[in-house]
Amino acid sequence: MKISCLKVGGRTIKTVVAVFLCLLTGIIRKSDTAFYAAIAAVLCVQRTSKDSFREAFNRETATVIGGIWGMLVLLFERNVWCVPYEALRYLFLSMLLIPIIKFSVLIKMERGTFLMCVVFLCITVTHGNDENTLAFGVARILDTTIGIVIALIINQFPIRRTKGERVLRRFRNHGKF
């Protein structure tokens, strides 16, 4: 067995800590959507702080835009017109991806396009029948923000290698393992 298989890197440790804190925050907040905070944390813990901030900005912006589109569609369905058949509703929601994608290109956020679409679909497809659909949209955006903030804070802490890890690396590099 190679020693490198046993090694757990600093980014992995930071990701685990960030996800745990997100889920713990969900317990404290009594949130059913803490899972989305955890996802945001996994995506935003990057190799460098600069990469983390870039990913965090992209994630937050895309989540807010996709969330707003989703909540607007649900408001439209509740107050103006609801598609009477599920298959037609899915066609309607799928077609609405076109303006979302075009909007992401218009604002030069092509890297966030897929997140905008995912958040939009998450809100409209899986929560369209909720009692308070807008509450889910707001909670989804809030949880993503919490995950991003936790990831950015955790990513600021340097992870130092232990003396044992340095010794193992030195032996491995010199062919002793």
Side-chain angles (χ1 to χ4, degrees), residues 17-139:
V17 169
V19 166
F20 174 70
L21 291 175
C22 288
L23 296 173
L24 192 60
T25 302
I27 291 171
I28 293 166
R29 291 180 48 237
K30 294 181 175 51
S31 171
D32 293 337
T33 55
F35 168 74
Y36 297 108
I39 291 172
V42 168
L43 293 173
C44 290
V45 174
Q46 296 289 316
R47 195 174 52 79
T48 66
S49 292
K50 182 180 177 183
D51 290 344
S52 285
F53 278 105
R54 185 177 57 245
E55 185 63 34
F57 176 79
N58 183 54
R59 177 81 184 167
E60 182 70 16
T61 305
T63 298
V64 169
I65 292 170
I68 290 171
W69 277 88
M71 288 185 289
L72 288 173
V73 167
L74 292 179
L75 279 173
F76 176 80
E77 288 182 323
R78 288 271 167 106
N79 297 303
V80 179
W81 180 67
C82 185
V83 181
Y85 302 103
E86 190 173 26
L88 286 177
R89 182 173 186 267
Y90 289 159
L91 175 62
F92 173 67
L93 295 175
S94 299
M95 296 298 291
L96 285 175
L97 293 176
I98 295 169
I100 294 170
I101 293 167
K102 291 291 192 180
F103 183 74
S104 72
V105 172
L106 177 71
I107 63 170
K108 298 182 182 354
M109 284 260 336
E110 291 91 348
R111 286 195 55 195
T113 302
F114 80 97
L115 286 171
M116 289 177 204
C117 293
V118 166
V119 173
F120 169 78
L121 291 170
C122 179
I123 290 171
T124 57
V125 173
T126 62
H127 293 277
N129 294 325
D130 287 1
E131 186 69 30
N132 190 345
T133 54
L134 296 183
F136 173 77
V138 171

